[in-house]
Structure formats: C-alpha cells, structure tokens
Amino acid sequence: MKRKVSLWPGMMMLLLSLLLSSSSVIAQRTIRGTVTDAADGLPLPAVSVVVRGTTVGTSTQADGTYTINVPSGSNEIIFSMVGYVSQTLATGSGEVIDVLLAQETTVL
C-alpha cells in the first residue's frame, strides 16, 4: 500500500520563515560615513562602530569609511578606538554620519 506524502506543511513553514526573515531586513536602515582624527583630519582605520544595545557592529576601512545596518528601534551608534575618546551619537533621520574622534590625553 502506497502512502501519499503531503508537501503542504513543509511549504507553509518555508513561506512563513521567508516572510519573517524578510521583515527583519526591511525594518532596518543603512548608515554610512567617515571617521577622522579631530587633530589632523586624517582618516582612522579600524575604528569600532557598534549599534548601542545590540551585537550589530563593523569597523572602519583603511580610508576611514564605514557602513552599518541599524535595526529599527535602535537610535545610537558608538564609535571607539584605543587611544581615542569614544563617542556615542544619535542616528537621527539622516543616512550619513561623519565623526571626528579626539585623541585621549591621560597623564600617568
């Protein structure tokens, strides 16, 4: 006796998972910019760029540029690098955030 196998439940689960994953991609926006040294204006490579309260992050390229996808509901980005004062900036409504990092001066 042959048994019929229904693909319907599997197809519904696949469709549901695709819809849910696409909504999370839609609910984010891309922010880009350049991080430079406040003293001399030179680009800073390897600056850590993290969305506050999430695990979403990236680092700047050799020319100081970065691109990061900010999830909806997140409104602050933290810029940090060893030897520089960290900055936390509001994302606002713009798509470009350029940052000047000041060198940290600590007396030992």
Side-chain angles (χ1 to χ4, degrees), residues 17-28 72:
S17 66
L18 286 173
L19 286 174
L20 290 176
S21 66
S22 67
S23 68
S24 66
V25 170
I26 292 171
Q28 65 185 4
S72 69

Side-chain angles (χ1 to χ4, degrees), residues 57-102:
T58 188
S59 60
T60 57
Q61 303 296 315
D63 62 354
T65 60
Y66 71 93
T67 301
I68 191 166
N69 293 320
V70 178
S72 69
S74 299
N75 56 3
E76 291 184 323
I77 301 177
I78 302 167
F79 299 86
S80 61
M81 182 177 186
V82 174
Y84 288 83
V85 178
S86 296
Q87 282 195 38
T88 301
L89 299 175
T91 57
S93 60
E95 295 179 359
V96 177
I97 299 177
D98 292 329
V99 181
L100 295 171
L101 287 185

